[in-house]
Amino acid sequence: MKAYDMVIIGGGPAGLAAAVSAKKAGVESILILERDMELGGILNQCIHNGFGLHTFQEELTGPEYADRFIAQVRELGIAYKLHTMVMDISPQKVVTAMNGSDGMIRIQAKAIVLAMGCRERARGALNIPGYRPAGIFSAGTAQRLVNMEGYLPGREVVILGSGDIGLIMARRMTLEGAKVKVVAELMPYSGGLKRNIVQCLDDYGIPLKLSHTVVDIKGKERLEGVTLAQVDENGKPIPGTEETYTCDTLLLSVGLIPENELSKEMGVELDSVTNGPVVNESLETNIPGVFACGNVLHVHDLVDYVSEEAQRAGANAARYVKGEAEKKGNTITVAAEDGVRYTVPRNINTNGMDEQLTVRFRVGAVYQNAYISVYFDQERVMHRRKQIMAPGEMEQVVLLKQKIAAYPNLSRITVKIEKE
């Protein structure tokens, strides 16, 4: 059995940033395990620009952004294995993996960083009636077909779901000569960034129908059309609102799910809202020495935030490996209430906290001219007005260690949305 100080599961933007950060923090023995044929993860198929504005202060495409980190990994001499599938991770941090050249391998790690990313929610989770004709794709699969493999999935397209990948694919399919007839969204608000709605739909005259869903699929061998209907506040189709669109392609952009089967099997506690691990201020899970970052932790809107979070995870994992992790101090619960769906982290060890800590969260509805409030137990310590907040965009608050230290008996920090 080989031994490494740190094993990073996943060679996408989170895994790469965590590896670079850990190496710079002094960890020599690092191994990245990636199941794909190359490093970079999902960024390799994201050929549109808009990446890197926070991290590199310039606008890059997905492959360009990934290449910046891949170059650092190679310069620093960090080991990685491609085409390698991790089958199991034990609570004792023994990683079992397989690939074509080594066969079955077992690796003992001192610390593990989980950076497996997320996957798309499939049609099976939607319960759409109708047959299973050719022409129904997840938006990410269509993106790979167009951008990496050179295939056009279809000529007449309907998109269900207004997540960022769906919005970007509406523009991409239009640029490739397809006719995108409509984007339908079950919720009364879009699931994507405002800039993507403007740049990918409005600029190309593609209609967005909120509070609509697909209620019927026509065609047996190949998709021939879909029927949309408006839904009520409970998500139930309203009779008499049906509209039929002829199309040969339906793209599904109906949410992302963190890839946490390995995490669950090894005993990592998962958050019921995010489906990602519950972590503390160091991004450490309930298993000591196991850290999580990126979309496996919670689905991000910007890759820059993924990299920033992963750098923290890598640096904290390095501290753990070197025996520099702080002894447990007062543990404070971070709670989400009144419009806040979840928080990352979920608890804070005051000894392990940096001078400032970014707490990220998403809201559960669209709010206009509302306030983000933070309470230390019953006392409100932050009350910040925000013109607009939407579920598609991540929010954050920054907590200062010095301020928390002024409350020695603090047991609970609550983040909530207030109207006034």
Side-chain angles (χ1 to χ4, degrees):
M1 189 189 303
K2 285 195 172 181
Y4 284 85
D5 286 340
M6 191 181 300
V7 174
I8 295 169
I9 317 296
L16 295 171
V20 168
S21 176
K23 185 76 171 185
K24 288 179 176 176
V27 179
E28 289 301 319
S29 171
I30 302 172
L31 177 66
I32 301 171
L33 299 176
E34 169 56 52
R35 67 184 177 187
D36 212 341
M37 293 177 287
E38 53 202 5
L39 296 172
I42 200 71
L43 288 180
N44 291 324
Q45 68 184 51
C46 299
I47 65 171
H48 54 279
N49 59 4
F51 300 93
L53 289 168
H54 295 269
T55 309
F56 299 110
Q57 283 73 55
E58 60 182 302
E59 198 170 31
L60 304 170
T61 65
E64 286 172 330
Y65 185 95
D67 191 60
R68 297 283 176 98
F69 281 99
I70 294 167
Q72 290 183 66
V73 164
R74 289 177 177 152
E75 282 167 23
L76 293 167
I78 297 169
Y80 57 87
K81 287 182 180 290
L82 302 176
H83 246 200
T84 301
M85 191 72 166
V86 176
M87 312 300 292
D88 180 66
I89 310 171
S90 78
Q92 293 74 38
K93 299 189 278 290
V94 174
V95 179
T96 304
M98 286 184 75
N99 63 33
S101 54
D102 301 321
M104 182 86 78
I105 51 176
R106 297 181 78 218
I107 303 154
Q108 176 68 63
K110 287 183 185 173
I112 288 173
V113 178
L114 303 171
M116 293 90 76
C118 58
R119 66 174 184 270
E120 293 179 280
R121 188 175 274 113
R123 177 189 169 177
L126 304 179
N127 297 321
I128 300 171
Y131 290 97
R132 295 284 188 272
I136 302 175
F137 302 88
S138 69
T141 300
Q143 187 181 53
R144 184 178 180 92
L145 288 171
V146 174
N147 292 348
M148 295 186 76
E149 298 179 22
Y151 296 107
L152 187 64
R155 294 283 175 188
E156 292 186 297
V157 184
V158 170
I159 298 176
L160 175 61
S162 60
D164 288 313
I165 311 171
L167 298 174
I168 286 161
M169 281 310 294
R171 175 178 64 184
R172 190 77 183 95
M173 295 292 281
T174 302
L175 292 172
E176 288 298 328
K179 172 66 177 170
V180 179
K181 296 194 165 181
V182 66
V183 176
E185 168 59 58
L186 178 70
M187 305 303 287
Y189 49 80
S190 169
L193 293 168
K194 179 68 176 173
R195 73 179 191 201
N196 285 335
I197 297 168
V198 173
Q199 294 173 5
C200 302
L201 299 188
D202 297 353
D203 288 359
Y204 293 88
I206 299 168
L208 171 62
K209 286 184 173 283
L210 301 174
S211 299
H212 279 72
T213 192
V214 173
V215 293
D216 192 25
I217 287 174
K218 302 188 183 303
K220 283 192 177 181
E221 299 302 319
R222 175 79 197 194
L223 184 66
E224 295 170 7
V226 299
T227 302
L228 299 184
Q230 194 174 343
V231 297
D232 60 22
E233 62 273 10
N234 299 314
K236 296 278 187 286
I238 301 170
T241 62
E242 295 86 0
E243 295 175 275
T244 298
Y245 292 83
T246 57
C247 61
D248 58 16
T249 305
L250 174 65
L251 301 187
L252 304 175
S253 177
V254 288
L256 301 168
I257 306 166
E259 285 272 20
N260 271 303
E261 284 68 29
L262 287 170
S263 315
K264 192 174 181 181
E265 285 172 16
M266 76 180 294
V268 169
E269 182 188 354
L270 300 183
D271 185 295
S272 60
V273 177
T274 63
N275 292 315
V278 172
V279 294
N280 64 14
E281 77 296 331
S282 301
L283 301 175
E284 187 177 23
T285 67
N286 59 306
I287 300 177
V290 178
F291 299 78
C293 57
N295 282 353
V296 81
L297 179 56
H298 59 133
V299 176
H300 291 62
D301 49 3
L302 298 179
V303 74
D304 301 79
Y305 293 155
V306 168
S307 302
E308 180 192 311
E309 188 177 86
Q311 285 164 343
R312 272 175 52 211
N316 290 324
R319 276 191 212 136
Y320 179 88
V321 167
K322 298 192 300 186
E324 296 171 2
E326 297 288 343
K327 295 281 188 293
K328 293 292 180 193
N330 180 33
T331 298
I332 301 166
T333 301
V334 184
E337 286 184 6
D338 297 346
V340 177
R341 294 187 64 233
Y342 67 86
T343 63
V344 172
R346 272 258 303 270
N347 52 71
I348 297 170
N349 167 29
T350 49
N351 285 357
M353 184 180 169
D354 291 330
E355 290 311 310
Q356 58 180 46
L357 175 70
T358 301
V359 176
R360 294 206 164 99
F361 62 92
R362 285 184 191 264
V363 294
V366 176
Y367 293 93
Q368 291 184 322
N369 295 317
Y371 293 83
I372 299 171
S373 296
V374 177
Y375 284 78
F376 284 5
D377 288 330
Q378 304 305 316
E379 183 183 341
R380 189 165 74 188
V381 295
M382 191 184 299
H383 192 56
R384 189 177 81 224
R385 183 172 171 272
K386 197 96 190 289
Q387 194 171 355
I388 190 155
M389 289 178 277
E393 306 206 16
M394 203 179 293
E395 303 292 341
Q396 64 182 46
V397 293
V398 176
L399 302 178
L400 302 177
K401 187 173 186 175
Q402 187 179 4
K403 198 165 186 178
I404 291 174
Y407 295 78
N409 299 317
L410 181 61
S411 63
R412 183 183 176 92
I413 295 173
T414 306
V415 184
K416 59 173 73 172
I417 306 301
E418 293 182 319
K419 295 292 173 66
E420 55 186 39

